[in-house]
Amino acid sequence: MFNIFKKKKYPAYWQKHIDVVKNSRNYSNYESIRFVCLDTETTGFDYENDRILCIGAVALKNNKILVSDSFEVYMQQEVFNKETVKIHGIRRNGTEKKVSEEEAIIQFLEYLDDAVIIAHHTKFDITMINNALKRLNIGPIKSKQLDTNYIHKKIVTANKFKKLYSLDELCEIYNVKMHDRHTALGDALLTAYVFLKLTYKYKKNNVLNLTNLINTNYYLNK
């Protein structure tokens, strides 16, 4: 009868994720923070029925992109949508080495460590990752998260009330040359370049502070 009071036992990889984020000391000094820019390619935009096909990520630290510190993993396709293959080019029987959803998540969390996540329209990528975690009976992800769309809206003067800017639009606004578009790793790298441009512009009038860049409304509405 006392089983309800027992502490839930998590898989070792998930407990490690909880612990490294909780015990991190790298958030107070902006220059010491390791950021991870990420992107996911998916079978579609339905949070419940679609699945992640690929996670791509690249790290940033002290205003520098660390190309050697990058990550890419492809997942086995339990859901297939031939229409979205036209966008991302990932086929069910393609030549990429694919792993199970759980193995992909384990690899990603190991790579992520205590980094702060950056994405464009973060809610989509994180919700897809959180739903993968939910299928593993764990989650949601504990890492702090930034959104390039939100940061742009904080500093923009024109079209301030436009709800969403596409990654293409931000690349054009901030003169970022687009390449490898619609690959997870390629879009993660574009997001990293946009983030550097955003923070360079932001710090002209402000001290760079992690708290000011986080969309607290996103956390309140989760």
Side-chain angles (χ1 to χ4, degrees):
M1 65 179 292
F2 296 106
N3 286 344
I4 60 173
F5 298 110
K6 286 185 178 179
K7 185 178 179 180
K8 184 175 180 179
K9 186 170 179 59
Y10 293 119
Y13 65 86
W14 182 247
Q15 188 60 56
K16 180 181 178 182
H17 170 68
I18 295 171
D19 292 341
V20 295
V21 174
K22 180 180 178 181
N23 298 321
S24 177
R25 298 290 182 267
N26 293 329
Y27 302 140
S28 57
N29 180 8
Y30 186 87
E31 281 69 31
S32 71
I33 298 172
R34 178 173 174 264
F35 296 96
V36 162
C37 296
L38 73 82
D39 182 73
T40 60
E41 293 300 327
T42 65
T43 57
F45 301 105
D46 186 315
Y47 287 138
E48 297 301 322
N49 296 312
D50 282 306
R51 297 290 185 270
I52 299 171
L53 299 174
C54 180
I55 301 174
V58 63
L60 255 166
K61 193 171 184 180
N62 197 18
N63 302 308
K64 293 183 178 66
I65 297 172
L66 309 176
V67 178
S68 61
D69 186 3
S70 61
F71 174 86
E72 187 176 49
V73 66
Y74 289 87
M75 297 186 187
Q76 294 165 356
Q77 296 186 29
E78 61 175 89
V79 174
F80 179 70
N81 182 350
K82 66 179 181 179
E83 293 303 313
T84 57
V85 173
K86 301 172 186 176
I87 300 172
H88 49 64
I90 304 172
R91 301 181 180 277
R92 173 174 276 174
N93 298 316
T95 57
E96 306 91 354
K97 179 183 176 182
K98 299 181 177 71
V99 299
S100 68
E101 186 172 70
E102 182 175 27
E103 178 58 29
I105 291 296
I106 291 171
Q107 290 183 24
F108 173 66
L109 292 177
E110 182 70 24
Y111 167 78
L112 182 61
D113 198 51
D114 67 344
V116 174
I117 291 172
I118 304 168
H120 188 68
H121 300 158
T122 313
K123 183 178 180 180
F124 175 77
D125 298 289
I126 295 302
T127 301
M128 292 299 289
I129 290 172
N130 281 340
N131 282 350
L133 290 165
K134 186 177 180 181
R135 287 189 287 275
L136 299 172
N137 296 311
I138 51 179
I141 203 161
K142 305 300 181 184
S143 307
K144 296 180 184 297
Q145 300 147 33
L146 304 182
D147 189 328
T148 48
N149 180 72
Y150 171 77
I151 299 170
H152 171 68
K153 289 182 66 176
K154 286 195 69 160
I155 62 178
V156 73
T157 53
N159 297 322
K160 195 172 184 68
F161 298 103
K162 182 175 178 178
K163 188 174 183 181
L164 294 175
Y165 288 82
S166 69
L167 183 57
D168 288 358
E169 287 176 308
L170 291 195
C171 284
E172 183 176 351
I173 291 168
Y174 292 101
N175 196 28
V176 173
K177 186 177 180 180
M178 287 187 285
H179 52 85
D180 290 335
R181 188 73 173 92
H182 297 302
T183 67
L185 187 54
D187 284 354
L189 188 57
L190 290 176
T191 301
Y193 282 119
V194 168
F195 179 74
L196 286 182
K197 298 265 189 170
L198 285 168
T199 50
Y200 176 78
K201 188 170 183 178
Y202 181 85
K203 70 181 179 182
K204 285 184 175 180
N205 298 312
N206 304 275
V207 176
L208 275 176
N209 183 296
L210 182 62
T211 304
N212 292 338
L213 298 178
I214 292 177
N215 183 356
T216 53
N217 290 327
Y218 171 70
Y219 284 93
L220 290 173
N221 293 327
K222 283 178 72 174

